mmCIF file of all heavy atoms in Angstrom:
data_model
loop_
_atom_site.group_PDB
_atom_site.id
_atom_site.type_symbol
_atom_site.label_atom_id
_atom_site.label_comp_id
_atom_site.label_asym_id
_atom_site.label_seq_id
_atom_site.Cartn_x
_atom_site.Cartn_y
_atom_site.Cartn_z
ATOM 1 N N ASP A 1 -4.125 2.674 2.503
ATOM 2 C CA ASP A 1 -3.777 1.413 3.179
ATOM 3 C C ASP A 1 -4.301 1.536 4.584
ATOM 4 O O ASP A 1 -3.871 2.424 5.374
ATOM 5 C CB ASP A 1 -2.213 1.270 3.177
ATOM 6 C CG ASP A 1 -1.793 0.008 3.868
ATOM 7 O OD1 ASP A 1 -2.453 -1.049 3.649
ATOM 8 O OD2 ASP A 1 -0.821 0.067 4.628
ATOM 9 N N TRP A 2 -5.185 0.600 4.948
ATOM 10 C CA TRP A 2 -5.956 0.661 6.216
ATOM 11 C C TRP A 2 -5.456 -0.372 7.161
ATOM 12 O O TRP A 2 -5.381 -1.567 6.848
ATOM 13 C CB TRP A 2 -7.466 0.495 5.890
ATOM 14 C CG TRP A 2 -8.339 0.632 7.081
ATOM 15 C CD1 TRP A 2 -8.760 1.809 7.620
ATOM 16 C CD2 TRP A 2 -8.986 -0.368 7.797
ATOM 17 N NE1 TRP A 2 -9.606 1.571 8.698
ATOM 18 C CE2 TRP A 2 -9.750 0.204 8.804
ATOM 19 C CE3 TRP A 2 -8.991 -1.806 7.719
ATOM 20 C CZ2 TRP A 2 -10.560 -0.518 9.731
ATOM 21 C CZ3 TRP A 2 -9.751 -2.504 8.611
ATOM 22 C CH2 TRP A 2 -10.555 -1.868 9.592
ATOM 23 N N SER A 3 -5.176 0.087 8.428
ATOM 24 C CA SER A 3 -4.795 -0.853 9.511
ATOM 25 C C SER A 3 -3.675 -1.851 9.131
ATOM 26 O O SER A 3 -3.861 -3.055 9.226
ATOM 27 C CB SER A 3 -6.015 -1.617 10.043
ATOM 28 O OG SER A 3 -6.894 -0.673 10.684
ATOM 29 N N ASP A 4 -2.614 -1.282 8.638
ATOM 30 C CA ASP A 4 -1.533 -2.120 8.082
ATOM 31 C C ASP A 4 -0.237 -1.481 8.389
ATOM 32 O O ASP A 4 -0.160 -0.299 8.767
ATOM 33 C CB ASP A 4 -1.748 -2.179 6.576
ATOM 34 C CG ASP A 4 -1.124 -3.366 5.870
ATOM 35 O OD1 ASP A 4 -0.507 -4.200 6.521
ATOM 36 O OD2 ASP A 4 -1.315 -3.425 4.641
ATOM 37 N N GLY A 5 0.860 -2.229 8.284
ATOM 38 C CA GLY A 5 2.177 -1.731 8.528
ATOM 39 C C GLY A 5 2.761 -1.104 7.224
ATOM 40 O O GLY A 5 2.435 -1.555 6.123
ATOM 41 N N LEU A 6 3.621 -0.102 7.370
ATOM 42 C CA LEU A 6 4.145 0.620 6.211
ATOM 43 C C LEU A 6 4.997 -0.297 5.325
ATOM 44 O O LEU A 6 4.886 -0.252 4.108
ATOM 45 C CB LEU A 6 4.991 1.813 6.671
ATOM 46 C CG LEU A 6 5.360 2.847 5.637
ATOM 47 C CD1 LEU A 6 4.126 3.367 4.868
ATOM 48 C CD2 LEU A 6 6.043 4.026 6.234
ATOM 49 N N ALA A 7 5.796 -1.156 5.912
ATOM 50 C CA ALA A 7 6.675 -2.062 5.134
ATOM 51 C C ALA A 7 5.807 -3.019 4.312
ATOM 52 O O ALA A 7 6.073 -3.290 3.138
ATOM 53 C CB ALA A 7 7.628 -2.859 6.015
ATOM 54 N N SER A 8 4.749 -3.540 4.894
ATOM 55 C CA SER A 8 3.844 -4.487 4.205
ATOM 56 C C SER A 8 3.113 -3.731 3.075
ATOM 57 O O SER A 8 2.939 -4.285 1.999
ATOM 58 C CB SER A 8 2.799 -5.072 5.147
ATOM 59 O OG SER A 8 3.446 -5.853 6.158
ATOM 60 N N ALA A 9 2.708 -2.507 3.357
ATOM 61 C CA ALA A 9 2.012 -1.704 2.360
ATOM 62 C C ALA A 9 2.957 -1.426 1.156
ATOM 63 O O ALA A 9 2.503 -1.563 0.016
ATOM 64 C CB ALA A 9 1.527 -0.426 2.958
ATOM 65 N N ARG A 10 4.175 -1.034 1.424
ATOM 66 C CA ARG A 10 5.058 -0.741 0.346
ATOM 67 C C ARG A 10 5.377 -1.997 -0.489
ATOM 68 O O ARG A 10 5.516 -1.922 -1.733
ATOM 69 C CB ARG A 10 6.370 -0.147 0.874
ATOM 70 C CG ARG A 10 6.166 1.332 1.349
ATOM 71 C CD ARG A 10 7.395 2.035 1.667
ATOM 72 N NE ARG A 10 7.055 3.438 1.899
ATOM 73 C CZ ARG A 10 7.599 4.188 2.875
ATOM 74 N NH1 ARG A 10 8.497 3.632 3.680
ATOM 75 N NH2 ARG A 10 7.248 5.420 3.006
ATOM 76 N N SER A 11 5.486 -3.119 0.151
ATOM 77 C CA SER A 11 5.713 -4.380 -0.586
ATOM 78 C C SER A 11 4.508 -4.723 -1.495
ATOM 79 O O SER A 11 4.716 -5.091 -2.646
ATOM 80 C CB SER A 11 5.975 -5.491 0.437
ATOM 81 O OG SER A 11 6.065 -6.728 -0.246
ATOM 82 N N PHE A 12 3.312 -4.497 -0.990
ATOM 83 C CA PHE A 12 2.106 -4.745 -1.741
ATOM 84 C C PHE A 12 2.081 -3.846 -2.990
ATOM 85 O O PHE A 12 1.789 -4.252 -4.104
ATOM 86 C CB PHE A 12 0.876 -4.509 -0.837
ATOM 87 C CG PHE A 12 -0.431 -4.847 -1.472
ATOM 88 C CD1 PHE A 12 -0.989 -6.143 -1.275
ATOM 89 C CD2 PHE A 12 -1.172 -3.936 -2.185
ATOM 90 C CE1 PHE A 12 -2.210 -6.488 -1.822
ATOM 91 C CE2 PHE A 12 -2.414 -4.258 -2.740
ATOM 92 C CZ PHE A 12 -2.936 -5.553 -2.563
ATOM 93 N N VAL A 13 2.363 -2.552 -2.787
ATOM 94 C CA VAL A 13 2.321 -1.520 -3.815
ATOM 95 C C VAL A 13 3.354 -1.924 -4.918
ATOM 96 O O VAL A 13 3.077 -1.874 -6.113
ATOM 97 C CB VAL A 13 2.585 -0.176 -3.278
ATOM 98 C CG1 VAL A 13 2.979 0.849 -4.374
ATOM 99 C CG2 VAL A 13 1.378 0.382 -2.456
ATOM 100 N N SER A 14 4.524 -2.322 -4.475
ATOM 101 C CA SER A 14 5.584 -2.715 -5.399
ATOM 102 C C SER A 14 5.163 -3.942 -6.204
ATOM 103 O O SER A 14 5.373 -4.061 -7.431
ATOM 104 C CB SER A 14 6.862 -2.999 -4.655
ATOM 105 O OG SER A 14 7.885 -3.456 -5.477
ATOM 106 N N ARG A 15 4.542 -4.937 -5.509
ATOM 107 C CA ARG A 15 4.173 -6.192 -6.182
ATOM 108 C C ARG A 15 3.163 -5.901 -7.309
ATOM 109 O O ARG A 15 3.227 -6.586 -8.336
ATOM 110 C CB ARG A 15 3.496 -7.050 -5.071
ATOM 111 C CG ARG A 15 2.961 -8.379 -5.643
ATOM 112 C CD ARG A 15 2.368 -9.216 -4.553
ATOM 113 N NE ARG A 15 1.885 -10.466 -5.043
ATOM 114 C CZ ARG A 15 1.185 -11.344 -4.331
ATOM 115 N NH1 ARG A 15 0.967 -11.080 -3.058
ATOM 116 N NH2 ARG A 15 0.738 -12.415 -4.840
ATOM 117 N N TYR A 16 2.272 -4.906 -7.144
ATOM 118 C CA TYR A 16 1.276 -4.628 -8.161
ATOM 119 C C TYR A 16 1.608 -3.446 -9.015
ATOM 120 O O TYR A 16 0.764 -3.018 -9.803
ATOM 121 C CB TYR A 16 -0.119 -4.537 -7.486
ATOM 122 C CG TYR A 16 -0.580 -5.831 -6.912
ATOM 123 C CD1 TYR A 16 -0.480 -6.095 -5.544
ATOM 124 C CD2 TYR A 16 -1.004 -6.877 -7.763
ATOM 125 C CE1 TYR A 16 -0.798 -7.319 -4.998
ATOM 126 C CE2 TYR A 16 -1.327 -8.079 -7.204
ATOM 127 C CZ TYR A 16 -1.230 -8.343 -5.877
ATOM 128 O OH TYR A 16 -1.622 -9.544 -5.347
ATOM 129 N N SER A 17 2.828 -2.906 -8.834
ATOM 130 C CA SER A 17 3.319 -1.767 -9.661
ATOM 131 C C SER A 17 2.360 -0.583 -9.623
ATOM 132 O O SER A 17 2.159 0.092 -10.657
ATOM 133 C CB SER A 17 3.533 -2.213 -11.115
ATOM 134 O OG SER A 17 4.474 -3.288 -11.137
ATOM 135 N N TRP A 18 1.828 -0.258 -8.428
ATOM 136 C CA TRP A 18 0.994 0.925 -8.325
ATOM 137 C C TRP A 18 1.822 2.132 -8.352
ATOM 138 O O TRP A 18 2.849 2.246 -7.606
ATOM 139 C CB TRP A 18 0.173 0.861 -7.060
ATOM 140 C CG TRP A 18 -0.976 -0.090 -7.048
ATOM 141 C CD1 TRP A 18 -1.477 -0.875 -8.070
ATOM 142 C CD2 TRP A 18 -1.797 -0.410 -5.923
ATOM 143 N NE1 TRP A 18 -2.510 -1.584 -7.637
ATOM 144 C CE2 TRP A 18 -2.747 -1.355 -6.342
ATOM 145 C CE3 TRP A 18 -1.791 -0.003 -4.604
ATOM 146 C CZ2 TRP A 18 -3.711 -1.846 -5.468
ATOM 147 C CZ3 TRP A 18 -2.736 -0.519 -3.748
ATOM 148 C CH2 TRP A 18 -3.723 -1.464 -4.192
ATOM 149 N N SER A 19 1.460 3.155 -9.161
ATOM 150 C CA SER A 19 2.160 4.367 -9.201
ATOM 151 C C SER A 19 1.307 5.597 -8.827
ATOM 152 O O SER A 19 1.820 6.713 -8.764
ATOM 153 C CB SER A 19 2.804 4.580 -10.608
ATOM 154 O OG SER A 19 1.806 4.555 -11.569
ATOM 155 N N TYR A 20 0.101 5.317 -8.580
ATOM 156 C CA TYR A 20 -0.851 6.451 -8.179
ATOM 157 C C TYR A 20 -0.739 6.668 -6.704
ATOM 158 O O TYR A 20 -0.209 5.891 -5.956
ATOM 159 C CB TYR A 20 -2.272 6.089 -8.612
ATOM 160 C CG TYR A 20 -2.884 4.841 -7.983
ATOM 161 C CD1 TYR A 20 -3.537 4.834 -6.746
ATOM 162 C CD2 TYR A 20 -2.714 3.580 -8.657
ATOM 163 C CE1 TYR A 20 -4.057 3.665 -6.235
ATOM 164 C CE2 TYR A 20 -3.223 2.441 -8.131
ATOM 165 C CZ TYR A 20 -3.860 2.481 -6.910
ATOM 166 O OH TYR A 20 -4.420 1.327 -6.366
ATOM 167 N N PRO A 21 -1.169 7.836 -6.210
ATOM 168 C CA PRO A 21 -0.966 8.184 -4.802
ATOM 169 C C PRO A 21 -1.638 7.174 -3.880
ATOM 170 O O PRO A 21 -2.814 6.759 -4.105
ATOM 171 C CB PRO A 21 -1.691 9.561 -4.689
ATOM 172 C CG PRO A 21 -1.689 10.121 -6.041
ATOM 173 C CD PRO A 21 -1.814 8.923 -6.951
ATOM 174 N N ASN A 22 -0.914 6.808 -2.835
ATOM 175 C CA ASN A 22 -1.463 5.879 -1.789
ATOM 176 C C ASN A 22 -1.046 6.471 -0.474
ATOM 177 O O ASN A 22 0.133 6.790 -0.268
ATOM 178 C CB ASN A 22 -0.850 4.496 -1.979
ATOM 179 C CG ASN A 22 -1.762 3.585 -2.778
ATOM 180 O OD1 ASN A 22 -2.643 2.919 -2.277
ATOM 181 N ND2 ASN A 22 -1.495 3.630 -4.132
ATOM 182 N N LEU A 23 -2.043 6.567 0.425
ATOM 183 C CA LEU A 23 -1.812 7.135 1.748
ATOM 184 C C LEU A 23 -1.909 6.026 2.769
ATOM 185 O O LEU A 23 -2.331 4.917 2.506
ATOM 186 C CB LEU A 23 -2.914 8.203 2.022
ATOM 187 C CG LEU A 23 -3.011 9.271 0.949
ATOM 188 C CD1 LEU A 23 -4.186 10.215 1.256
ATOM 189 C CD2 LEU A 23 -1.699 10.022 0.805
ATOM 190 N N SER A 24 -1.480 6.342 3.983
ATOM 191 C CA SER A 24 -1.387 5.321 5.047
ATOM 192 C C SER A 24 -2.309 5.704 6.247
ATOM 193 O O SER A 24 -2.262 6.828 6.740
ATOM 194 C CB SER A 24 0.073 5.276 5.563
ATOM 195 O OG SER A 24 0.180 4.361 6.643
ATOM 196 N N ASP A 25 -3.163 4.830 6.583
ATOM 197 C CA ASP A 25 -4.081 4.895 7.711
ATOM 198 C C ASP A 25 -3.785 3.748 8.698
ATOM 199 O O ASP A 25 -4.616 2.838 8.800
ATOM 200 C CB ASP A 25 -5.490 4.895 7.220
ATOM 201 C CG ASP A 25 -6.544 5.120 8.315
ATOM 202 O OD1 ASP A 25 -6.241 5.647 9.370
ATOM 203 O OD2 ASP A 25 -7.741 4.744 8.054
ATOM 204 N N PRO A 26 -2.612 3.747 9.341
ATOM 205 C CA PRO A 26 -2.176 2.534 10.102
ATOM 206 C C PRO A 26 -3.055 2.181 11.279
ATOM 207 O O PRO A 26 -3.160 1.015 11.630
ATOM 208 C CB PRO A 26 -0.751 2.927 10.582
ATOM 209 C CG PRO A 26 -0.759 4.428 10.581
ATOM 210 C CD PRO A 26 -1.686 4.790 9.407
#
């Protein structure tokens, strides 16, 4: 997740049911 907030990223991941590793590059 690039240049984004953690709460927004988690919401996006939940919306698309991603279960693979995702890292944060805020």
Side-chain angles (χ1 to χ4, degrees):
D1 179 44
W2 185 77
S3 294
D4 204 359
L6 193 54
S8 297
R10 286 190 172 137
S11 176
F12 187 92
V13 165
S14 176
R15 178 179 180 187
Y16 293 103
S17 303
W18 285 354
S19 57
Y20 58 91
N22 267 271
L23 307 176
S24 178
D25 183 21

